[in-house]
Amino acid sequence: MESTTKPLDFIRAMVADDLRTGRHGGRVITRFPPEPNGYLHIGHAKSICLNFGIPQEFKDQAAAGARCNLRFDDTNPTTEEQEYIDAIKRDIRWLGFDWGEHEYYASDYFEQLYEWAIQLIKAGKAYVCDLSAEEISRTRGTLTQPGMPSPHRDRSVEENLDLFARMRKGEFPDGSRVLRAKIDMNSPNLNLRDPVMYRILHEEHPRTGTAWCIYPMYDYAHGQSDSIEKITHSLCTLEFEDHRPLYDWFIEQLGIFPSRQTEFNRLNLTHTIVTKRKLRTLVEKGHVRGWDDPRMPTLSALRRRGYPPAAIRAFCEGVGLSKREQTIEIARLEFHVREELNRTADRVMAVLDPLRLVVTNFSEGQVEQMEAVNNPEDAAAGKRTVPFSKDLYIERDDFMENPPAKFFRLAPGREVRLRYGYWVTCTDVVKDAAGNVVEVRCTYDPLTRGGDNPPDGRKVKGTIHWVSAEHALDAEVRLYDTLFSKEDPNDVPEGGDWLDNLNPDSLRIVKGAKVEPSLATARAGATFQFERLGYFCVDPDSESRRLVFNRTVTLKDSWAKGQKG
RNA sequence: UGGGGAUUGGUGUAACGGUAGCACGACUGACUCUGGAUCAGUUAGUGAAAGUUCGAAUCUUUCAUCCCCAGCCA
């Protein structure tokens, strides 16, 4: 028997090993810990798929339970908002994951964290420091030089206890004092040079309101929150590797449940930026319409763009996991989107750049209902009907007066198939005063009804899409390209700015598109394949009078590709 | 310059001392009522140098390169 089990990545291998050796008593508990200060993006999706995926995958081997907690890392009220909490939950659910009742907040643990801080003060492991932020920074030393001990490093336990209690009571202004861990000012790891545990912030918190005016720092809050929740595997990205010694130090000093941190590589995409700070800049400076602008890499934008969650999940599983820097080509994401949509999206005909086509030998006023397959990949998707008449629109690109070799579409004297319609032969071209082709005139062959091959065995090279002029619906179509023209948006010349790499053509709006009448009832979010063009989905801006579509992704187009070269 | 990580085709990811494989991309061709899909095929890789070994991507040493760290952000 051939073994079909695919190799486990290093994290899953570790989990499997921990389960085998009974390290955590048969439990696998992970957590996804977003900070509610922005929207989730594709990079988070990788972490979500990992953290929620692992408990699912190891359920059978984890006799004592497997789950992923959703925990908001809400320790900085100056940047965090309820709006983001709501958006994050919506996006995780949309991606296809559920945390059940295990929704937690670091702020739920503020009291416990405070008590533990007192415990550390009593143990002589933490002290109140009156240095200013600037002074702390200056005395921290540099990469190559050790730091200088704070003049308050050896305050008595009593004084520290008193000061810390008064910090909590609100007796001191912001920035006047902090609580610091007493570790090692000489450590080559900057994180261990007496890191700040608490800072004073007279700021209202979205959840605790004004109950607190001191807030714990990430390093002091995260590991302890993991420990409180008995997280067995705390997975985070590579840049936290340097923080692991500190993560372990607090847990050890406190003698609490030993959660363990393991780091994996962050996901980067070409032509894309996945830094929350920079995404915020794009939104605030108006380079995009908002967090859900379909050009953004946020999950809400990908949803609006029409990316199916299943495609994002497959992508995240597909990119793999390691400790190397990972920059995935955008084409790989698009591959998964096409793969999913090819299976699931109904086909429909739409003309983006309409050119009038008159079938001269077709009776005026006559309408034939032609049968069309909704999805050739899925018989269950059924069939629909498309009206055919004398006056049609075809895609301007599908006609050339003087076609080059290998052009299989319509041209003077040429015959093509109108998909699900009839075979037509171009007999005439009508031009305007400027010489632009404004109409092509054709005759049709009644023996090719439905687009079928004629009995005489004649062949045709091309099949093109069309809509009936009288029946077509008007639509606005938004065509997207990458937000940045450079593979690496951060690759800028001296004195340049990453914003210089914004792609001026990332959005092209087509106003005069014509789509087949079956789309009249399409609802926001519905995804279709416009035959021969790509996948499109109905934008929330869409109204019955004025349909609006977003292009999710184009179809692969070997003709266009050949033209470029 | 200190510390922490990492180097396998264009991009990712396997191989854990024994045939360098898979996916995406690119390129051919077949087929097709979507120049889509599908099918078949081609292309291209172990950062460098020494060493250990019958045998090295894998072990050792040296070198090189890249990423992260000096927030009272996470």
Side-chain angles (χ1 to χ4, degrees):
Chain A
M1 228 353 205
E2 188 84 6
S3 171
T4 53
T5 49
K6 57 176 184 187
L8 298 178
D9 57 68
F10 77 103
I11 289 183
R12 279 175 248 256
M14 170 185 65
V15 172
D17 201 56
D18 288 345
L19 247 16
R20 196 178 318 112
T21 59
R23 184 187 179 100
H24 304 293
R27 287 179 316 123
V28 177
I29 304 181
T30 57
R31 105 267 91 116
F32 174 64
E35 184 192 8
N37 68 345
Y39 280 63
L40 259 22
H41 55 64
I42 185 76
H44 293 113
K46 175 179 169 182
S47 176
I48 293 169
C49 290
L50 213 216
N51 279 300
F52 281 92
I54 281 179
Q56 285 175 8
E57 292 160 36
F58 289 93
K59 207 179 202 109
D60 295 342
Q61 295 145 69
R67 70 156 186 273
C68 176
N69 295 348
L70 169 61
R71 181 175 70 239
F72 288 94
D73 231 329
D74 56 348
T75 57
N76 185 358
T78 59
T79 57
E80 296 157 4
E81 291 171 27
Q82 185 63 37
E83 175 204 348
Y84 296 127
I85 294 178
D86 299 335
I88 287 168
K89 292 200 284 187
R90 188 189 323 130
D91 289 343
I92 298 172
R93 285 203 189 90
W94 172 74
L95 234 203
F97 297 100
D98 181 20
W99 53 93
E101 71 267 37
H102 301 285
E103 177 175 326
Y104 305 120
Y105 294 79
S107 56
D108 292 342
Y109 311 138
F110 281 174
E111 194 61 50
Q112 173 69 77
L113 258 15
Y114 179 81
E115 284 168 27
W116 277 335
I118 288 172
Q119 184 182 326
L120 289 173
I121 291 173
K122 287 180 176 164
K125 300 289 186 182
Y127 63 97
V128 172
C129 176
D130 305 351
L131 259 25
S132 70
E134 193 267 326
E135 288 166 324
I136 287 182
S137 171
R138 188 150 34 77
T139 53
R140 184 158 23 228
T142 68
L143 295 180
T144 51
Q145 291 172 330
M148 303 284 291
S150 160
H152 316 107
R153 200 168 198 262
D154 294 315
R155 278 217 251 243
S156 69
V157 168
E158 292 66 33
E159 188 181 5
N160 280 320
L161 251 18
D162 173 63
L163 254 14
F164 188 50
R166 290 164 59 195
M167 277 171 64
R168 177 180 183 172
K169 270 193 238 158
E171 292 187 19
F172 311 118
D174 288 4
S176 58
R177 286 173 221 267
V178 291
L179 183 72
R180 290 228 254 172
K182 191 193 283 189
I183 307 181
D184 178 6
M185 290 308 289
N186 296 314
S187 173
N189 180 344
L190 286 325
N191 294 125
L192 264 21
R193 318 239 265 227
D194 289 10
V196 172
M197 294 167 60
Y198 274 93
R199 75 284 217 187
I200 300 173
L201 248 28
H202 290 270
E203 191 90 34
E204 184 161 345
H205 185 282
R207 293 186 60 84
T208 60
T210 53
W212 294 84
C213 63
I214 57 171
Y215 291 93
M217 298 287 290
Y218 166 85
D219 284 307
Y220 181 63
H222 198 99
Q224 280 60 261
S225 299
D226 283 344
S227 182
I228 289 168
E229 295 175 22
K230 302 270 195 295
I231 300 300
T232 57
H233 301 272
S234 180
L235 312 176
C236 63
T237 43
L238 257 22
E239 67 269 27
F240 290 100
E241 261 167 335
D242 286 343
H243 294 249
R244 193 179 346 122
L246 185 50
Y247 182 102
D248 293 337
W249 189 86
F250 281 124
I251 283 178
E252 196 190 323
Q253 296 303 318
L254 261 13
I256 56 181
F257 180 84
S259 293
R260 282 217 306 177
Q261 171 182 304
T262 305
E263 310 84 14
F264 62 91
N265 56 350
R266 167 188 285 277
L267 167 71
N268 297 288
L269 276 178
T270 59
H271 305 283
T272 310
I273 215 116
V274 278
T275 310
K276 248 194 253 179
R277 206 194 91 242
K278 288 182 176 168
L279 292 178
R280 183 193 311 282
T281 300
L282 292 174
V283 172
E284 289 174 353
K285 286 196 168 180
H287 296 292
V288 294
R289 294 182 182 185
W291 287 99
D292 70 342
D293 184 303
R295 293 168 292 180
M296 293 279 276
T298 55
L299 296 184
S300 48
L302 298 180
R303 171 169 60 235
R304 185 166 182 179
R305 173 90 173 244
Y307 280 31
I312 296 174
R313 278 184 258 123
F315 169 75
C316 290
E317 295 307 325
V319 296
L321 213 53
S322 70
K323 294 183 84 106
R324 310 162 53 169
E325 294 295 307
Q326 179 184 60
T327 302
I328 306 291
E329 290 169 333
I330 201 80
R332 192 183 181 105
L333 213 206
E334 294 182 340
F335 162 79
H336 286 285
V337 172
R338 289 193 186 101
E339 186 177 58
E340 178 69 18
L341 258 16
N342 178 51
R343 280 179 34 235
T344 58
D346 279 355
R347 273 61 169 172
V348 100
M349 289 196 285
V351 175
L352 263 36
D353 186 8
L355 172 63
R356 192 150 204 116
L357 181 152
V358 177
V359 187
T360 51
N361 58 339
F362 198 83
S363 309
E364 189 84 44
Q366 184 185 340
V367 178
E368 284 191 40
Q369 295 300 330
M370 315 304 279
E371 191 174 70
V373 173
N374 284 333
N375 185 348
E377 307 291 323
D378 177 15
K383 296 181 174 175
R384 72 185 185 288
T385 247
V386 185
F388 184 93
S389 65
K390 185 185 182 78
D391 292 301
L392 310 175
Y393 289 117
I394 61 169
E395 206 69 61
R396 189 164 291 273
D397 284 351
D398 286 341
F399 174 81
M400 279 188 106
E401 201 174 4
N402 300 296
K406 300 272 187 64
F407 182 83
F408 300 153
R409 286 108 94 146
L410 199 61
R414 276 285 180 84
E415 183 171 42
V416 297
R417 177 187 356 254
L418 294 178
R419 185 139 161 99
Y420 301 126
Y422 283 101
W423 291 24
V424 294
T425 302
C426 175
T427 55
D428 271 302
V429 175
V430 180
K431 296 182 185 178
D432 64 12
N436 302 309
V437 176
V438 294
E439 180 180 310
V440 292
R441 302 177 73 80
C442 297
T443 57
Y444 84 105
D445 178 352
L447 297 180
T448 57
R449 189 173 197 284
D452 289 348
N453 294 344
D456 65 7
R458 219 156 77 238
K459 299 278 193 214
V460 79
K461 281 290 254 306
T463 297
I464 65 175
H465 59 277
W466 53 277
V467 292
S468 168
E470 175 196 346
H471 305 90
L473 273 22
D474 292 316
E476 171 180 322
V477 181
R478 300 172 182 169
L479 305 177
Y480 301 104
D481 195 355
T482 53
L483 234 196
F484 293 92
S485 34
K486 270 205 180 168
E487 249 192 39
D488 176 5
N490 291 314
D491 175 19
V492 285
E494 274 300 308
D497 184 352
W498 59 280
L499 289 168
D500 298 344
N501 286 326
L502 276 168
N503 176 5
D505 301 317
S506 60
L507 168 62
R508 214 179 95 219
I509 298 179
V510 173
K511 296 277 191 187
K514 300 284 186 180
V515 305
E516 68 167 68
S518 73
L519 253 12
T521 54
R523 307 184 51 181
T527 301
F528 300 91
Q529 183 194 101
F530 289 180
E531 294 224 23
R532 305 208 306 131
L533 297 176
Y535 296 97
F536 295 77
C537 87
V538 183
D539 189 84
D541 287 347
S542 198
E543 295 163 15
S544 58
R545 286 277 185 72
R546 179 174 148 278
L547 296 169
V548 179
F549 294 91
N550 294 312
R551 184 171 68 195
T552 308
V553 65
T554 61
L555 245 28
K556 291 222 280 188
D557 187 345
S558 48
W559 164 247
K561 190 180 290 175
Q563 289 309 99
K564 274 185 229 155

